[in-house]
Amino acid sequence: PFILSIAGGGSTYTPGIVKSLMVRLEAFPLAEIRLYDIDEARQNTIAPVVEKVIRDHSQYIKFTVTNDAETAFSGAHFVFAQMRVGQYKMREQDEKIPLRHGVVGQETCGPGGLAYGLRTILPMVELIDQVTRYADEKAWIINYSNPAAIVAEGVRRLRPQARVLNICDMPVAAMRNMGAILGVDRHKLEVDYFGLNHFGWFTQVRVEGEDRLPELREHVARFGLLTEDAAQTDPQHADPSWVKTWRNIKPIMDHFPEYLPNPYLQYYLMPNEIVAHQDPDYTRANEVMNGREKKLFAAAQEYHCSGVLPDAFHVGVHGAFIVDVACSLAFDLRQRHLVIVENKGAIANLPYDAMVEVPAYITAAGPEPVRMGAVPLFHQTLLMQQLASEQLLVEATIEGSYEKALQAFTLNRTVPTMQHAKAILDEMIEANRDYWPAL
Ligand code: G6P
Ligand code: MN
């Protein structure tokens, strides 16, 4: 049985992930679960809820809660990382500062994602170093930390040898919705996909060898990438703003005759329309703080007082996916999953060393990317511009370069002019005083 550490134990996602682990104990046996967080108070609030989720399934798994890295990682076989540097307070800034300038306010896309990247790369590297120091030498870090594209590039530059697999639940969430639309279990779908994280396209969606993408496109053009009544998405993506996000990609179908976009492409292809419908005073961070976070804290409080844990945490794709990936790494299952990997020719006309999102077979030695071939000039160009923006941001972080940060902001498609880029960057430097390296 494995020792598993969750870095970012105080996350609102932790109970759901642990629940997913509990229903998969036969496939992925656990001796111990450790929660690790630098915010001790927050983690201590959530830990009893997590412990209850574990005890409902097993009396034998050891449960440890700590803010000490050595205790957290000594001898660990797997580390699930989900850090949120600056927490939701800073997510709120990432979203609201650009919006004040009429630019997309999103935690991973546009200036918000770049700002979040500047906060996260160095702490992520620190975490990797701690794991390398204390954990089993074969340990894998499976990393959900956002902004995943930038974090992956930062890790590649700074710790190329680390056993880190960067993942995102958005492609698999899209596949869950595709399954619901087609009336097919999502595990029956096999997809081809190319891009960067939160910036890619499905090119085929096969069910028993037959490509169902044309049918899906017709549905998406009418209803978006979810079922007509939105009822079949899991609670993680059922909030009104998420339903909007799934639906917003409808116009992309009319403009481009091929493929199925990752919904995040709406921020790059029609930023003005997205901004026009965003409330600059109440963004997704507010929705999460007043929703998911408040609900979890209330549940923890009620459990503390009454001994009854109100809401059973659902097993959604977010938790299920990371457990699937862990199983495939642990037992060399060679399952095919969409993950973030070094390109190495998988997308023939993107740089060899770019961190791309493509299908890969997940083996005990890591992901083996599947070749997606060369992509059309239009997509290649969009990808190259986004890649350059992200790579410059990573260089800005490593070198403490204001100039490169400004170039990263200016190159981002969500940002209309260099003046916007500079105004937003300068405000963000102020807001991130406690987090960013000096630029
Ligand atoms: C999806 C994305 C994640 C992102 C999350 C935000 O799951 O793949 O990268 O962090 O959405 O969700 P939230 O509910 O916090 O807005
Ligand atoms: Mn993601």
Side-chain angles (χ1 to χ4, degrees):
F2 300 117
I3 300 173
L4 168 80
S5 310
I6 301 182
S11 163
T12 49
Y13 284 113
T14 305
I17 287 179
V18 170
K19 177 88 184 173
S20 299
L21 286 163
M22 292 304 104
V23 301
R24 298 288 299 283
L25 275 177
E26 267 174 44
F28 193 71
L30 288 168
E32 181 174 359
I33 294 178
R34 301 182 187 153
L35 301 191
Y36 170 72
D37 206 301
I38 55 173
D39 184 340
E40 200 180 354
R42 185 186 172 100
Q43 181 166 259
N44 284 339
T45 305
I46 290 169
V49 171
V50 176
E51 186 166 24
K52 168 81 170 129
V53 172
I54 296 172
R55 291 296 162 247
D56 281 348
H57 291 83
S58 164
Q59 294 306 307
Y60 305 107
I61 296 171
K62 189 175 169 198
F63 181 58
T64 304
V65 181
T66 182
N67 62 340
D68 172 61
E70 184 173 357
T71 312
F73 303 127
S74 289
H77 303 103
F78 285 91
V79 177
F80 289 179
Q82 42 166 359
M83 60 166 68
R84 181 179 283 288
V85 181
Q87 302 183 336
Y88 287 114
K89 276 275 148 241
M90 288 309 296
R91 177 177 183 175
E92 189 179 7
Q93 295 303 313
D94 294 341
E95 294 166 347
K96 288 186 177 174
I97 292 172
L99 275 174
R100 284 205 285 275
H101 297 269
V103 172
V104 165
Q106 216 278 333
E107 68 159 344
T108 62
C109 301
L114 297 173
Y116 193 10
L118 264 153
R119 288 203 301 279
T120 308
I121 292 167
L122 299 179
M124 187 66 215
V125 167
E126 200 182 314
L127 175 73
I128 291 169
D129 287 348
Q130 287 165 333
V131 172
T132 306
R133 178 153 173 216
Y134 298 119
D136 185 276
E137 58 173 14
K138 293 233 142 161
W140 275 100
I141 300 173
I142 309 179
N143 186 31
Y144 254 143
S145 307
N146 265 326
I150 289 170
V151 170
E153 172 65 9
V155 170
R156 182 185 74 81
R157 296 264 182 127
L158 294 170
R159 294 295 180 272
Q161 302 304 330
R163 287 163 69 93
V164 181
L165 180 53
N166 299 287
I167 62 167
C168 165
D169 66 357
M170 202 55 188
V172 72
M175 289 166 70
R176 169 202 61 208
N177 290 7
M178 291 173 189
I181 292 165
L182 297 172
V184 174
D185 184 274
R186 72 174 170 91
H187 296 96
K188 291 242 159 84
L189 307 182
E190 185 181 271
V191 302
D192 287 344
Y193 180 97
F194 69 81
L196 311 173
N197 176 241
H198 290 187
F199 201 107
W201 291 264
F202 292 90
T203 61
Q204 282 208 1
V205 178
R206 293 181 294 273
V207 181
E208 287 164 3
E210 188 196 347
D211 183 17
R212 307 284 293 270
L213 193 99
E215 193 181 331
L216 281 169
R217 275 186 54 98
E218 269 174 40
H219 177 99
V220 174
R222 293 179 63 196
F223 307 111
L225 187 45
L226 76 177
T227 51
E228 208 173 329
D229 62 0
Q232 290 176 60
T233 191
D234 77 44
Q236 190 210 340
H237 289 126
D239 281 358
S241 66
W242 263 111
V243 171
K244 205 167 104 187
T245 302
W246 294 112
R247 291 213 196 286
N248 273 344
I249 62 169
K250 286 188 277 186
I252 301 178
M253 293 302 108
D254 304 332
H255 286 74
F256 302 111
E258 46 189 5
Y259 307 161
L260 205 55
N262 186 307
Y264 282 103
L265 281 165
Q266 63 192 258
Y267 299 113
Y268 301 97
L269 295 175
M270 40 183 188
N272 49 347
E273 224 165 284
I274 301 299
V275 171
H277 295 102
Q278 264 191 303
D279 179 349
D281 299 316
Y282 195 83
T283 59
R284 178 65 184 153
N286 302 109
E287 208 178 24
V288 172
M289 286 187 276
N290 291 323
R292 184 167 73 224
E293 191 174 47
K294 203 177 241 173
K295 234 173 96 188
L296 176 56
F297 288 154
Q301 179 63 24
E302 188 174 335
Y303 179 57
H304 179 74
C305 296
S306 70
V308 177
L309 185 57
D311 191 57
F313 297 92
H314 76 280
V315 179
V317 290
H318 181 87
F321 180 52
I322 196 168
V323 178
D324 276 344
V325 169
C327 282
S328 203
L329 284 170
F331 301 110
D332 199 33
L333 300 182
R334 297 179 173 257
Q335 282 175 357
R336 181 177 169 130
H337 293 293
L338 288 174
V339 293
I340 302 160
V341 288
E342 198 171 339
N343 186 19
K344 294 182 177 162
I347 303 172
N349 50 353
L350 282 193
Y352 190 82
D353 62 359
M355 295 302 289
V356 298
E357 197 166 76
V358 289
Y361 292 97
I362 311 298
T363 79
E368 283 175 10
V370 179
R371 288 179 173 268
M372 293 291 107
V375 303
L377 180 62
F378 174 74
H379 305 81
Q380 181 200 16
T381 309
L382 286 172
L383 286 164
M384 283 303 298
Q385 181 175 359
Q386 177 71 4
L387 182 65
S389 171
E390 292 173 350
Q391 291 190 333
L392 283 163
L393 193 280
V394 170
E395 287 173 17
T397 309
I398 296 172
E399 298 165 20
S401 165
Y402 178 87
E403 195 171 87
K404 285 190 172 173
L406 186 55
Q407 290 176 348
F409 277 62
T410 307
L411 266 183
N412 201 281
R413 263 188 75 84
T414 61
V415 180
T417 70
M418 69 180 182
Q419 286 91 344
H420 285 85
K422 182 167 169 48
I424 294 169
L425 175 61
D426 288 347
E427 243 182 82
M428 283 180 154
I429 288 176
E430 266 311 297
N432 283 279
R433 266 189 319 266
D434 298 339
Y435 300 98
W436 281 7
L439 294 183

